[in-house]
Amino acid sequence: MNVSVEVEDLLRELAPQVLGTLARRWGDFDAAEDAVQEALIAAARRWPVDGLPAQPRGWLLQTASRRMVDQWRSDTARRDRELRVASEPAQGEAAQDDDTLAVLFLCCHPVLTPPSAIALTLRAVGGLSTAEIARAFLVPEATMAQRISRAKQRVARESFSMPSPEDRPARLRSVLRVLYLMFNEGYVGSTGADLTRVDLSDEAIRLARLVHASGPDAEAAGLLALLLLIDARRAARTDAAGDPVPLADQDRSRWDRGRIAEGVALLDEAIGSGAVGEYQLQAAIAAVHDRAVTADATDWAQIAALYSLLEQMTGSPVVTLNRAVAAGMVDGPQAGLAILEGLDESLPRLDQLRAHLYEQAGDRDRALACYRRASGRATNLAERRYLDAQVARLVGGSA
């Protein structure tokens, strides 16, 4: 089944709109989502052969509505709901209200755990199949199907509507958090053979654009700026073998200057519009990196100061890890190592950062031991290859 990129993009855009219309009309999010997935499969099969219908959204809505009618007709206890079929619009007459954001806010509801929210968002809003999501997270399709099913059942009890002005700030925080986690999973996969999952990071950016366009919010603008500024380095992040290239060694001519300019403009707009939040601070750090013409030109003192503010704001040990790197660049590796003392030994990247700082301090033996521990704990195969290469380099250098 060959589906063009244009058709895939159109289906991805229309899926949450149709889902929102059905869920609002029939009051059953779970059944509506299943019906939309079946309609998407039908469109992917027919449109490349028959050509795009005159009203693609209406075609999907009508097809999905028929799936729901067929399903509900088999349930005699719900036969009265068939009366609502009479009001179903004909093909091409679908209402043009876009419920994408309402679906996104529902999928990112605080009642869900972040993994469940990400999976449901990718399915209901991102248009990915259960099989695609399962492959992204390297779990069996049946396992992912159960996770998504449980998530749908939980949100089905919640109101399908945009949050009220009073509830929007808390709900928006959940949405931004899910999009941030989705992007991070695409940027550096927690598992798998490849360093990145471009489809996940691209989808997070697309949805972040929708959220930002929905209304003024400094943190929504900050998140979109952050994602663009980091993603701008995508082409330079891996070598020909797909292995990681450290930031200091990247070919900066391959960075996407258009995305950097857009991210910086968004950041300037966000910082000037109110209180500064964590995504704006992270975007400011990314902007300092992206503005540096060379690695040596990086303003590490500014980065260290921004990480200190971010650490005070969030209390996140991951931020502390990054502050240690910046401190090491400003005040020397021993300053960075001192910051790492007492942190939870299970933190991702802790051993790798220690290895880097020990090597900077000239302690090859401790650096080698830390690289070996980091490699043993790595779950992403591309990262493990990179760490094994550092071990081999140090072993060869001491021979």
Side-chain angles (χ1 to χ4, degrees), residues 6 10 17 53 61 68 87 92 122 136 140 160 166 174 224 235 240 312 317 320 336 339 347 357 366 378 386-387:
E6 291 77 14
L10 180 60
Q17 300 178 28
L61 181 58
M68 291 195 71
S87 62
L122 288 172
F160 180 76
E166 295 77 19
S174 294
L224 179 55
Q312 294 173 27
T320 304
I339 292 173
L347 276 174
L357 291 169
R366 286 185 176 175
Y386 169 79
L387 294 168

Side-chain angles (χ1 to χ4, degrees), residues 31 54 152 223 291 319 346:
K152 287 192 293 184
L223 176 66
R291 285 184 172 123
V319 174
S346 66

Side-chain angles (χ1 to χ4, degrees), residues 130-164:
T130 303
E132 289 173 320
I133 301 169
R135 284 196 298 271
F137 291 95
L138 294 183
V139 299
E141 184 176 351
T143 300
M144 183 55 68
Q146 291 176 350
R147 181 182 299 177
I148 292 173
S149 178
R150 287 194 296 266
K152 287 192 293 184
Q153 291 170 8
R154 294 204 69 180
V155 300
R157 297 191 291 269
E158 306 298 330
S159 172
F160 180 76
S161 62
M162 288 294 289
S164 66

Side-chain angles (χ1 to χ4, degrees), residues 136-322:
F137 291 95
L138 294 183
V139 299
E141 184 176 351
T143 300
M144 183 55 68
Q146 291 176 350
R147 181 182 299 177
I148 292 173
S149 178
R150 287 194 296 266
K152 287 192 293 184
Q153 291 170 8
R154 294 204 69 180
V155 300
R157 297 191 291 269
E158 306 298 330
S159 172
F160 180 76
S161 62
M162 288 294 289
S164 66
E166 295 77 19
D167 292 338
R168 179 179 167 85
R171 293 283 295 279
L172 181 60
R173 282 195 295 272
S174 294
V175 169
L176 298 182
R177 180 64 175 166
V178 167
L179 297 184
Y180 177 69
L181 293 174
M182 184 189 301
F183 177 85
N184 282 344
E185 182 62 31
Y187 190 71
V188 179
S190 56
T191 53
D194 298 325
L195 181 69
T196 62
R197 278 296 310 269
V198 174
D199 52 347
L200 297 187
S201 52
D202 279 351
E203 185 61 17
I205 291 173
R206 184 182 78 86
L207 296 176
R209 288 189 186 280
L210 280 178
V211 174
H212 174 251
S214 71
D217 183 89
E219 272 293 76
L223 176 66
L224 179 55
L226 171 63
L227 303 192
L228 291 171
L229 290 167
I230 293 178
D231 195 64
R233 310 169 201 151
R234 179 195 297 179
R237 289 187 60 233
T238 54
D239 60 19
D243 293 338
V245 176
L247 184 61
D249 299 331
Q250 290 178 14
D251 179 358
R252 299 183 179 219
S253 68
R254 301 182 66 195
W255 288 2
D256 188 332
R257 294 295 161 183
R259 287 212 155 181
I260 292 173
E262 183 184 1
V264 169
L266 281 164
L267 176 62
D268 291 343
E269 168 196 331
I271 289 180
S273 64
V276 175
E278 61 178 294
Y279 297 120
Q280 295 167 67
L281 284 176
Q282 290 188 64
I285 293 167
V288 175
H289 282 296
D290 287 2
R291 285 184 172 123
V293 178
T294 65
D296 290 339
T298 303
D299 188 345
W300 282 104
Q302 184 180 3
I303 290 174
L306 288 168
Y307 271 127
S308 293
L309 290 174
L310 187 60
E311 186 179 41
Q312 294 173 27
M313 180 179 294
T314 66
S316 168
V318 175
V319 174
T320 304
L321 288 179
N322 290 302

Side-chain angles (χ1 to χ4, degrees), residues 3-63:
V3 182
S4 69
V5 173
E6 291 77 14
V7 170
E8 285 185 350
D9 290 345
L10 180 60
L11 291 175
R12 181 167 292 181
E13 176 186 348
L14 294 176
Q17 300 178 28
V18 175
L19 172 58
T21 300
L22 286 180
R24 188 183 303 280
R25 178 183 299 166
W26 297 82
D28 189 332
F29 180 85
D30 194 354
E33 204 276 333
D34 288 341
V36 169
Q37 289 298 317
E38 292 186 30
L40 293 174
I41 293 171
R45 289 173 176 165
R46 293 183 55 179
W47 291 3
V49 177
D50 301 340
L52 286 179
Q55 295 289 338
R57 188 175 184 272
W59 191 99
L60 286 172
L61 181 58
Q62 184 180 57
T63 302

